Structure formats: structure tokens, C-alpha cells
Amino acid sequence: MSERRPLIEGLKSHPANDSQVEKEFVFGGREHPIPPVERAVVAPVRAPLTTRIRADYVAALKRASLTRQLDGQIPNSVQEFLEEALEPWLRSHGYIP
């Protein structure tokens, strides 16, 4: 059993960090990090939106989402459903090109 010492003594001693070990840990052995994917290319930037809708619509949306997820169908999220439904209306009324 090692000698007991006050907690403050343990906090005072700082072992020297090996920068090579740190880099290997952070980059997983790769010399350079993997470049980030352009988000704008993958999908448009999303912004939060809060609204209230009828309870029966909520239940139907949840049911549709879960059923489509289990069946492997796309779109399968409430967010995708709403975007798909809103886009034609916004486009037809001239709010988006």
C-alpha cells in the first residue's frame, strides 16, 4: 500500500504530457485530421421552429414516422414530412425560388 498524502499534494504534481501521445489520441493515429464535410453541400442549414398543431395530427405524424422508419422508407422523420409539405406551398406563393 502506498503512503497516504493529502489531496492537495496530488493536485500539485503535474506529470509532463507527451505531445506525440496527445496527437495520437486526438487524431487516432492519423497524421492529419479528416477534413470536415461541407454542410451546405449535404443539407441546408436548419433553424429551430416551434409551433402547435392539432393533437390528432401529432399522433398521425408520430405513427407515420415510426411506421416508415421500421419499413426503411424515406422520408421518415417529422422534420422531413414538414419540409416536404411546406416546400410546394412556399414555392407556389413566391416565398422561395
Side-chain angles (χ1 to χ4, degrees):
M1 184 174 210
S2 63
E3 177 185 336
R4 291 183 57 114
R5 57 189 177 143
L7 180 59
I8 193 73
E9 290 300 316
L11 295 175
K12 287 182 183 176
S13 62
H14 296 286
N17 293 332
D18 183 357
S19 64
Q20 184 60 36
V21 172
E22 289 175 349
K23 284 180 185 176
E24 195 171 303
F25 175 78
V26 172
F27 298 121
R30 293 181 305 276
E31 193 168 314
H32 299 286
I34 298 171
V37 175
E38 286 291 326
R39 296 196 85 183
V41 173
V42 176
V45 176
R46 302 243 184 326
L49 172 70
T50 302
T51 188
R52 292 179 178 271
I53 62 172
R54 292 176 18 186
D56 58 333
Y57 285 5
V58 172
L61 282 168
K62 286 182 181 179
R63 187 178 329 105
S65 176
L66 291 172
T67 302
R68 293 178 68 88
Q69 285 178 32
L70 290 171
D71 292 341
Q73 295 177 321
I74 295 177
N76 59 26
S77 71
V78 173
Q79 176 177 313
E80 292 168 330
F81 297 159
L82 293 176
E83 287 176 356
E84 200 170 284
L86 289 172
E87 183 181 4
W89 188 90
L90 291 169
R91 193 173 307 283
S92 70
H93 288 83
Y95 292 106
I96 58 174

